[in-house]
PDB file of all heavy atoms in Angstrom:
ATOM      1  N   VAL A 150     -91.277  41.686  59.101  1.00 97.00           N
ATOM      2  CA  VAL A 150     -92.416  42.430  58.616  1.00 97.00           C
ATOM      3  C   VAL A 150     -93.634  41.596  58.928  1.00 97.00           C
ATOM      4  O   VAL A 150     -93.536  40.395  59.077  1.00 97.00           O
ATOM      5  CB  VAL A 150     -92.287  42.746  57.116  1.00 97.00           C
ATOM      6  CG1 VAL A 150     -92.451  41.429  56.235  1.00 97.00           C
ATOM      7  CG2 VAL A 150     -93.228  43.795  56.681  1.00 97.00           C
ATOM      8  N   ILE A 152     -96.311  40.851  56.753  1.00 98.00           N
ATOM      9  CA  ILE A 152     -96.738  39.982  55.678  1.00 98.00           C
ATOM     10  C   ILE A 152     -95.809  40.283  54.495  1.00 98.00           C
ATOM     11  O   ILE A 152     -95.539  41.415  54.151  1.00 98.00           O
ATOM     12  CB  ILE A 152     -98.176  40.267  55.192  1.00 98.00           C
ATOM     13  CG1 ILE A 152     -99.238  39.972  56.409  1.00 98.00           C
ATOM     14  CG2 ILE A 152     -98.558  39.479  54.000  1.00 98.00           C
ATOM     15  CD1 ILE A 152    -100.574  40.298  56.062  1.00 98.00           C
ATOM     16  N   SER A 153     -95.351  39.153  53.905  1.00 98.00           N
ATOM     17  CA  SER A 153     -94.416  39.309  52.787  1.00 98.00           C
ATOM     18  C   SER A 153     -95.064  38.460  51.574  1.00 98.00           C
ATOM     19  O   SER A 153     -95.686  37.420  51.817  1.00 98.00           O
ATOM     20  CB  SER A 153     -93.044  38.778  53.016  1.00 98.00           C
ATOM     21  OG  SER A 153     -92.316  39.643  53.793  1.00 98.00           O
ATOM     22  N   PHE A 154     -94.811  38.954  50.449  1.00 98.00           N
ATOM     23  CA  PHE A 154     -95.019  38.164  49.183  1.00 98.00           C
ATOM     24  C   PHE A 154     -93.820  38.278  48.305  1.00 98.00           C
ATOM     25  O   PHE A 154     -93.341  39.393  47.966  1.00 98.00           O
ATOM     26  CB  PHE A 154     -96.247  38.751  48.400  1.00 98.00           C
ATOM     27  CG  PHE A 154     -96.446  38.204  47.022  1.00 98.00           C
ATOM     28  CD1 PHE A 154     -96.610  36.859  46.845  1.00 98.00           C
ATOM     29  CD2 PHE A 154     -96.395  39.015  45.905  1.00 98.00           C
ATOM     30  CE1 PHE A 154     -96.690  36.347  45.543  1.00 98.00           C
ATOM     31  CE2 PHE A 154     -96.528  38.504  44.743  1.00 98.00           C
ATOM     32  CZ  PHE A 154     -96.666  37.148  44.447  1.00 98.00           C
ATOM     33  N   VAL A 155     -93.242  37.147  47.993  1.00 97.00           N
ATOM     34  CA  VAL A 155     -92.101  37.088  47.125  1.00 97.00           C
ATOM     35  C   VAL A 155     -92.608  36.492  45.685  1.00 97.00           C
ATOM     36  O   VAL A 155     -93.088  35.341  45.707  1.00 97.00           O
ATOM     37  CB  VAL A 155     -90.972  36.208  47.614  1.00 97.00           C
ATOM     38  CG1 VAL A 155     -89.859  36.186  46.660  1.00 97.00           C
ATOM     39  CG2 VAL A 155     -90.543  36.724  48.994  1.00 97.00           C
ATOM     40  N   GLY A 156     -92.557  37.294  44.708  1.00 94.00           N
ATOM     41  CA  GLY A 156     -93.088  36.787  43.419  1.00 94.00           C
ATOM     42  C   GLY A 156     -93.491  37.905  42.562  1.00 94.00           C
ATOM     43  O   GLY A 156     -93.369  39.109  42.837  1.00 94.00           O
ATOM     44  N   GLU A 157     -93.910  37.596  41.370  1.00 92.00           N
ATOM     45  CA  GLU A 157     -94.334  38.569  40.369  1.00 92.00           C
ATOM     46  C   GLU A 157     -95.833  38.890  40.382  1.00 92.00           C
ATOM     47  O   GLU A 157     -96.635  38.108  40.706  1.00 92.00           O
ATOM     48  CB  GLU A 157     -93.877  38.128  39.005  1.00 92.00           C
ATOM     49  CG  GLU A 157     -92.403  37.892  38.802  1.00 92.00           C
ATOM     50  CD  GLU A 157     -91.559  39.037  39.331  1.00 92.00           C
ATOM     51  OE1 GLU A 157     -91.985  40.255  39.107  1.00 92.00           O
ATOM     52  OE2 GLU A 157     -90.567  38.827  39.972  1.00 92.00           O
ATOM     53  N   ILE A 158     -96.145  40.139  40.084  1.00 90.00           N
ATOM     54  CA  ILE A 158     -97.539  40.563  39.930  1.00 90.00           C
ATOM     55  C   ILE A 158     -98.142  40.061  38.655  1.00 90.00           C
ATOM     56  O   ILE A 158     -99.392  40.088  38.508  1.00 90.00           O
ATOM     57  CB  ILE A 158     -97.624  42.130  40.072  1.00 90.00           C
ATOM     58  CG1 ILE A 158     -97.073  42.603  41.430  1.00 90.00           C
ATOM     59  CG2 ILE A 158     -98.998  42.647  39.842  1.00 90.00           C
ATOM     60  CD1 ILE A 158     -97.934  42.091  42.580  1.00 90.00           C
ATOM     61  N   TYR A 159     -97.330  39.651  37.729  1.00 85.00           N
ATOM     62  CA  TYR A 159     -97.777  39.189  36.449  1.00 85.00           C
ATOM     63  C   TYR A 159     -98.464  40.296  35.701  1.00 85.00           C
ATOM     64  O   TYR A 159     -99.639  40.167  35.402  1.00 85.00           O
ATOM     65  CB  TYR A 159     -98.657  37.978  36.562  1.00 85.00           C
ATOM     66  CG  TYR A 159     -97.933  36.646  36.815  1.00 85.00           C
ATOM     67  CD1 TYR A 159     -98.242  35.908  37.944  1.00 85.00           C
ATOM     68  CD2 TYR A 159     -96.821  36.227  36.053  1.00 85.00           C
ATOM     69  CE1 TYR A 159     -97.492  34.757  38.208  1.00 85.00           C
ATOM     70  CE2 TYR A 159     -96.102  35.133  36.352  1.00 85.00           C
ATOM     71  CZ  TYR A 159     -96.490  34.313  37.441  1.00 85.00           C
ATOM     72  OH  TYR A 159     -95.764  33.186  37.769  1.00 85.00           O
ATOM     73  N   ARG A 237    -103.602  38.740  42.950  1.00 95.00           N
ATOM     74  CA  ARG A 237    -102.467  39.172  43.811  1.00 95.00           C
ATOM     75  C   ARG A 237    -102.604  40.650  44.125  1.00 95.00           C
ATOM     76  O   ARG A 237    -102.284  40.988  45.258  1.00 95.00           O
ATOM     77  CB  ARG A 237    -101.118  38.927  43.020  1.00 95.00           C
ATOM     78  CG  ARG A 237    -100.910  37.406  42.962  1.00 95.00           C
ATOM     79  CD  ARG A 237     -99.559  37.043  42.311  1.00 95.00           C
ATOM     80  NE  ARG A 237     -99.294  35.556  42.398  1.00 95.00           N
ATOM     81  CZ  ARG A 237     -98.237  34.995  41.908  1.00 95.00           C
ATOM     82  NH1 ARG A 237     -97.254  35.658  41.294  1.00 95.00           N
ATOM     83  NH2 ARG A 237     -98.082  33.638  42.094  1.00 95.00           N
ATOM     84  N   LEU A 241    -103.018  41.708  48.074  1.00 97.00           N
ATOM     85  CA  LEU A 241    -101.970  42.607  48.706  1.00 97.00           C
ATOM     86  C   LEU A 241    -102.592  43.982  49.079  1.00 97.00           C
ATOM     87  O   LEU A 241    -102.317  44.546  50.041  1.00 97.00           O
ATOM     88  CB  LEU A 241    -100.770  42.752  47.760  1.00 97.00           C
ATOM     89  CG  LEU A 241     -99.979  41.479  47.465  1.00 97.00           C
ATOM     90  CD1 LEU A 241     -98.884  41.783  46.503  1.00 97.00           C
ATOM     91  CD2 LEU A 241     -99.469  40.881  48.771  1.00 97.00           C
ATOM     92  N   VAL A 250     -97.270  45.360  54.765  1.00 98.00           N
ATOM     93  CA  VAL A 250     -97.079  44.356  53.767  1.00 98.00           C
ATOM     94  C   VAL A 250     -95.833  44.736  52.877  1.00 98.00           C
ATOM     95  O   VAL A 250     -95.715  45.837  52.479  1.00 98.00           O
ATOM     96  CB  VAL A 250     -98.249  44.262  52.818  1.00 98.00           C
ATOM     97  CG1 VAL A 250     -98.084  43.155  51.754  1.00 98.00           C
ATOM     98  CG2 VAL A 250     -99.500  43.902  53.640  1.00 98.00           C
ATOM     99  N   ARG A 251     -95.039  43.729  52.592  1.00 98.00           N
ATOM    100  CA  ARG A 251     -93.882  43.968  51.734  1.00 98.00           C
ATOM    101  C   ARG A 251     -93.872  43.031  50.607  1.00 98.00           C
ATOM    102  O   ARG A 251     -94.136  41.809  50.701  1.00 98.00           O
ATOM    103  CB  ARG A 251     -92.580  43.790  52.527  1.00 98.00           C
ATOM    104  CG  ARG A 251     -91.299  44.189  51.822  1.00 98.00           C
ATOM    105  CD  ARG A 251     -90.133  44.175  52.744  1.00 98.00           C
ATOM    106  NE  ARG A 251     -90.310  45.161  53.835  1.00 98.00           N
ATOM    107  CZ  ARG A 251     -89.645  45.067  55.072  1.00 98.00           C
ATOM    108  NH1 ARG A 251     -88.960  44.068  55.402  1.00 98.00           N
ATOM    109  NH2 ARG A 251     -89.886  46.088  55.931  1.00 98.00           N
ATOM    110  N   HIS A 252     -93.546  43.594  49.370  1.00 98.00           N
ATOM    111  CA  HIS A 252     -93.545  42.757  48.145  1.00 98.00           C
ATOM    112  C   HIS A 252     -92.134  42.767  47.627  1.00 98.00           C
ATOM    113  O   HIS A 252     -91.511  43.790  47.408  1.00 98.00           O
ATOM    114  CB  HIS A 252     -94.550  43.441  47.158  1.00 98.00           C
ATOM    115  CG  HIS A 252     -94.331  42.840  45.773  1.00 98.00           C
ATOM    116  ND1 HIS A 252     -94.458  43.629  44.559  1.00 98.00           N
ATOM    117  CD2 HIS A 252     -94.114  41.553  45.298  1.00 98.00           C
ATOM    118  CE1 HIS A 252     -94.307  42.858  43.573  1.00 98.00           C
ATOM    119  NE2 HIS A 252     -94.102  41.588  43.965  1.00 98.00           N
ATOM    120  N   TYR A 253     -91.680  41.586  47.334  1.00 97.00           N
ATOM    121  CA  TYR A 253     -90.336  41.401  46.701  1.00 97.00           C
ATOM    122  C   TYR A 253     -90.608  40.859  45.254  1.00 97.00           C
ATOM    123  O   TYR A 253     -91.272  39.825  45.086  1.00 97.00           O
ATOM    124  CB  TYR A 253     -89.494  40.340  47.428  1.00 97.00           C
ATOM    125  CG  TYR A 253     -89.092  40.743  48.801  1.00 97.00           C
ATOM    126  CD1 TYR A 253     -89.924  40.497  49.947  1.00 97.00           C
ATOM    127  CD2 TYR A 253     -87.930  41.538  49.121  1.00 97.00           C
ATOM    128  CE1 TYR A 253     -89.552  40.863  51.204  1.00 97.00           C
ATOM    129  CE2 TYR A 253     -87.594  41.904  50.423  1.00 97.00           C
ATOM    130  CZ  TYR A 253     -88.414  41.543  51.462  1.00 97.00           C
ATOM    131  OH  TYR A 253     -88.032  41.927  52.738  1.00 97.00           O
ATOM    132  N   GLY A 254     -90.055  41.542  44.280  1.00 94.00           N
ATOM    133  CA  GLY A 254     -90.319  41.104  42.930  1.00 94.00           C
ATOM    134  C   GLY A 254     -89.605  42.178  41.926  1.00 94.00           C
ATOM    135  O   GLY A 254     -88.873  43.032  42.350  1.00 94.00           O
ATOM    136  N   ARG A 255     -89.723  41.870  40.672  1.00 93.00           N
ATOM    137  CA  ARG A 255     -89.153  42.707  39.694  1.00 93.00           C
ATOM    138  C   ARG A 255     -89.867  44.013  39.453  1.00 93.00           C
ATOM    139  O   ARG A 255     -89.346  45.013  39.003  1.00 93.00           O
ATOM    140  CB  ARG A 255     -88.988  41.983  38.349  1.00 93.00           C
ATOM    141  CG  ARG A 255     -87.903  40.899  38.338  1.00 93.00           C
ATOM    142  CD  ARG A 255     -87.599  40.393  36.903  1.00 93.00           C
ATOM    143  NE  ARG A 255     -88.693  39.540  36.490  1.00 93.00           N
ATOM    144  CZ  ARG A 255     -88.743  38.249  36.537  1.00 93.00           C
ATOM    145  NH1 ARG A 255     -87.789  37.627  37.128  1.00 93.00           N
ATOM    146  NH2 ARG A 255     -89.711  37.522  36.119  1.00 93.00           N
ATOM    147  N   LYS A 256     -91.177  43.980  39.695  1.00 91.00           N
ATOM    148  CA  LYS A 256     -92.000  45.090  39.309  1.00 91.00           C
ATOM    149  C   LYS A 256     -93.202  45.200  40.279  1.00 91.00           C
ATOM    150  O   LYS A 256     -93.772  44.158  40.649  1.00 91.00           O
ATOM    151  CB  LYS A 256     -92.448  44.950  37.890  1.00 91.00           C
ATOM    152  CG  LYS A 256     -93.184  46.195  37.329  1.00 91.00           C
ATOM    153  CD  LYS A 256     -93.522  45.914  35.811  1.00 91.00           C
ATOM    154  CE  LYS A 256     -94.243  47.055  35.232  1.00 91.00           C
ATOM    155  NZ  LYS A 256     -94.596  46.857  33.769  1.00 91.00           N
ATOM    156  N   THR A 257     -93.624  46.406  40.604  1.00 92.00           N
ATOM    157  CA  THR A 257     -94.804  46.595  41.388  1.00 92.00           C
ATOM    158  C   THR A 257     -95.959  47.123  40.572  1.00 92.00           C
ATOM    159  O   THR A 257     -95.867  47.109  39.385  1.00 92.00           O
ATOM    160  CB  THR A 257     -94.492  47.510  42.632  1.00 92.00           C
ATOM    161  OG1 THR A 257     -95.672  47.559  43.523  1.00 92.00           O
ATOM    162  CG2 THR A 257     -94.178  48.920  42.209  1.00 92.00           C
ATOM    163  N   ASP A 258     -96.929  47.638  41.179  1.00 91.00           N
ATOM    164  CA  ASP A 258     -98.141  48.174  40.472  1.00 91.00           C
ATOM    165  C   ASP A 258     -98.698  49.427  41.167  1.00 91.00           C
ATOM    166  O   ASP A 258     -98.624  49.539  42.416  1.00 91.00           O
ATOM    167  CB  ASP A 258     -99.293  47.089  40.530  1.00 91.00           C
ATOM    168  CG  ASP A 258    -100.404  47.453  39.653  1.00 91.00           C
ATOM    169  OD1 ASP A 258    -101.244  48.242  40.075  1.00 91.00           O
ATOM    170  OD2 ASP A 258    -100.498  46.910  38.485  1.00 91.00           O
ATOM    171  N   LEU A 261    -100.815  49.433  44.330  1.00 95.00           N
ATOM    172  CA  LEU A 261    -100.300  48.867  45.626  1.00 95.00           C
ATOM    173  C   LEU A 261     -99.454  50.004  46.273  1.00 95.00           C
ATOM    174  O   LEU A 261     -98.326  49.783  46.774  1.00 95.00           O
ATOM    175  CB  LEU A 261     -99.376  47.702  45.312  1.00 95.00           C
ATOM    176  CG  LEU A 261    -100.080  46.503  44.704  1.00 95.00           C
ATOM    177  CD1 LEU A 261     -99.144  45.306  44.485  1.00 95.00           C
ATOM    178  CD2 LEU A 261    -101.275  46.067  45.584  1.00 95.00           C
ATOM    179  N   VAL A 264     -98.213  49.210  49.856  1.00 97.00           N
ATOM    180  CA  VAL A 264     -97.391  48.046  49.873  1.00 97.00           C
ATOM    181  C   VAL A 264     -95.896  48.509  49.755  1.00 97.00           C
ATOM    182  O   VAL A 264     -95.552  49.205  48.791  1.00 97.00           O
ATOM    183  CB  VAL A 264     -97.700  46.961  48.882  1.00 97.00           C
ATOM    184  CG1 VAL A 264     -96.715  45.797  48.865  1.00 97.00           C
ATOM    185  CG2 VAL A 264     -99.146  46.447  49.165  1.00 97.00           C
ATOM    186  N   ASP A 265     -95.084  48.015  50.685  1.00 97.00           N
ATOM    187  CA  ASP A 265     -93.621  48.384  50.582  1.00 97.00           C
ATOM    188  C   ASP A 265     -92.988  47.408  49.525  1.00 97.00           C
ATOM    189  O   ASP A 265     -92.780  46.294  49.746  1.00 97.00           O
ATOM    190  CB  ASP A 265     -92.958  48.044  51.973  1.00 97.00           C
ATOM    191  CG  ASP A 265     -91.534  48.343  51.992  1.00 97.00           C
ATOM    192  OD1 ASP A 265     -91.018  49.045  51.058  1.00 97.00           O
ATOM    193  OD2 ASP A 265     -90.785  47.765  52.882  1.00 97.00           O
ATOM    194  N   PHE A 266     -92.576  48.114  48.411  1.00 97.00           N
ATOM    195  CA  PHE A 266     -91.915  47.322  47.354  1.00 97.00           C
ATOM    196  C   PHE A 266     -90.457  47.320  47.506  1.00 97.00           C
ATOM    197  O   PHE A 266     -89.762  48.373  47.625  1.00 97.00           O
ATOM    198  CB  PHE A 266     -92.262  48.019  45.979  1.00 97.00           C
ATOM    199  CG  PHE A 266     -91.537  47.278  44.972  1.00 97.00           C
ATOM    200  CD1 PHE A 266     -91.920  45.907  44.568  1.00 97.00           C
ATOM    201  CD2 PHE A 266     -90.613  47.959  44.123  1.00 97.00           C
ATOM    202  CE1 PHE A 266     -91.294  45.307  43.431  1.00 97.00           C
ATOM    203  CE2 PHE A 266     -89.953  47.304  43.057  1.00 97.00           C
ATOM    204  CZ  PHE A 266     -90.248  45.956  42.648  1.00 97.00           C
ATOM    205  N   ALA A 267     -89.845  46.130  47.667  1.00 96.00           N
ATOM    206  CA  ALA A 267     -88.496  46.061  48.117  1.00 96.00           C
ATOM    207  C   ALA A 267     -87.536  45.443  47.017  1.00 96.00           C
ATOM    208  O   ALA A 267     -86.409  45.133  47.343  1.00 96.00           O
ATOM    209  CB  ALA A 267     -88.344  45.170  49.355  1.00 96.00           C
ATOM    210  N   GLY A 268     -88.070  45.363  45.826  1.00 96.00           N
ATOM    211  CA  GLY A 268     -87.214  44.762  44.691  1.00 96.00           C
ATOM    212  C   GLY A 268     -87.029  43.271  44.892  1.00 96.00           C
ATOM    213  O   GLY A 268     -87.712  42.592  45.519  1.00 96.00           O
ATOM    214  N   THR A 269     -85.999  42.791  44.187  1.00 96.00           N
ATOM    215  CA  THR A 269     -85.778  41.317  44.106  1.00 96.00           C
ATOM    216  C   THR A 269     -84.889  40.959  45.290  1.00 96.00           C
ATOM    217  O   THR A 269     -84.169  41.705  45.860  1.00 96.00           O
ATOM    218  CB  THR A 269     -85.071  40.940  42.857  1.00 96.00           C
ATOM    219  OG1 THR A 269     -83.892  41.605  42.670  1.00 96.00           O
ATOM    220  CG2 THR A 269     -86.015  41.251  41.567  1.00 96.00           C
TER     221      THR A 269
END
Side-chain angles (χ1 to χ4, degrees):
V150 70
I152 299 172
S153 285
F154 168 61
V155 179
E157 299 309 318
I158 296 298
Y159 286 126
R237 291 181 175 182
L241 295 178
V250 179
R251 188 170 294 155
H252 169 218
Y253 297 90
R255 286 190 290 264
K256 189 177 180 182
T257 186
D258 189 278
L261 300 177
V264 174
D265 177 22
F266 178 65
T269 59

